[in-house]
Amino acid sequence: MLLVSEPSLGADEKAALAEVIDSNWITMGARVHAFEQAFADMHGAADAVAVSSCTAALHLALDAFDIGPGDEVLVPSLSFVATANSAVYCGAKPVFVDIQSLDRPLIDPADAAKKCSSRTRAVVVMHYGGMLCDPAAWRDFAGRNGLLLIEDSAHCVGPERGEIYGDVAAFSFYGNKNITTGEGGMVISHDPAVTERIRRKRGGGLTSGTYQRLGLRAGSYDVTTLGYNYRMTELNAAIGLRQLEKLPNWNRTRRHLMAEYSGAVARLCPEVTLPICDATQNPHIMAAVLPSNADRPAVMGGLHDDGVQTSMHYPAIHTLSWYRERYPGIRLPITEAFAKRELTLPLHPKMTPADVEHVLASLARHLGNQGETDDVA
Ligand SMILES: *Cc1c(COP(=O)(O)O)cnc(C)c1O
């Protein structure tokens, strides 16, 4: 089965895990620190904070600015549910914003402006598939409205993405992301005071961790803020360090595969569009938009029978039961149309151009079958 995404793990990662076990320092030590430094360097930042997930990173980003009850946070509905959950964790209200178009499935500044109120405190932008939300437009939007700007950068990792432009950016190292640590995440802010608050909140609000206290004469600590346990283990960080070294090559492979997809779609199923192509240097998922009359479940079933896994990114958050029950009556026409027609095709660095050809031939066959009569070959 050709999978939608697959981690690339091997001898390097195995050796890295063995080194951690031999060192007998299992969490929040030298490797977490080294991973933070290497990740910050790659993204043009002075510092970064490793955490247990991107969900934790997004929560800390809002919590570090005391977002709370009575506040509203603008979020795209076309995202993973964690993007909206982070506002709910803080007691704030997520306000769902539509996307720009089927070709540009990113949170729309014009719709965001309409949904801005006196209670709006923050906006979370999400770089769908690796397409960067416009830095100048969003900095300007946040500045004009006095909002905190958060980047959910789970899809957009690597030197190609350019400088972090939000007050805080959150990354994910879940198993299906461009690099993985199993579970894990990272927070970057260019403001050292914000970074320090987030670092403290990651580990119970303590003024120092066990590892730092090794080098101190005094063994005690104080707690100056409400904290959580969002720490990363040395095992995760050791894998992350090895993955990070390979990220630029993997992103290059993803670019080449994306170009193959682009050419094969033009040849084999021109009625399908690929919004990510030409719009990013570090693609994360190969999102395809099917014709409006396509029977997506049938197409997915056909591809599955041909050994090709597919998925969807995403069911719109405002249509999920938990959100629909609490925030009823929301209509986001472009998000809803995109969620109905989007099909995610396999994209990961272990794939070859022949795999892409196989996927597209299968897709063309199953799209072509629809509506045709039995006497058509
Ligand atoms: C994966 C993902 C997350 C959550 O990441 P975790 O590390 O699994 O918590 C958040 N937002 C987006 C857009 C994602 O793709």
Side-chain angles (χ1 to χ4, degrees), residues 53-56 58 79-80 82-83 126 152 154-155 172-174 176-177 183-184 314:
S53 69
C54 182
T55 304
L58 291 166
S79 186
F80 183 58
T83 311
M126 197 280 271
D152 180 340
H155 289 201
S172 174
F173 310 128
Y174 183 61
N176 65 1
K177 298 305 199 292
E183 299 282 356
Y314 292 90

Side-chain angles (χ1 to χ4, degrees), residues 9 13 22 33 61 63-64 80 87 107 109-110 115 121-122 144 160 197 230 232 237 252 262 280 296 299 305:
L9 298 163
E13 286 78 7
D22 291 341
H33 183 68
D63 188 69
F80 183 58
I107 180 171
K115 287 172 179 163
R121 291 274 319 276
R144 260 185 298 117
E160 304 87 352
R197 278 207 299 283
Y230 286 161
M232 177 179 275
R252 192 171 311 127
S262 190
T280 183
R296 185 173 59 180
V299 172
D305 291 343

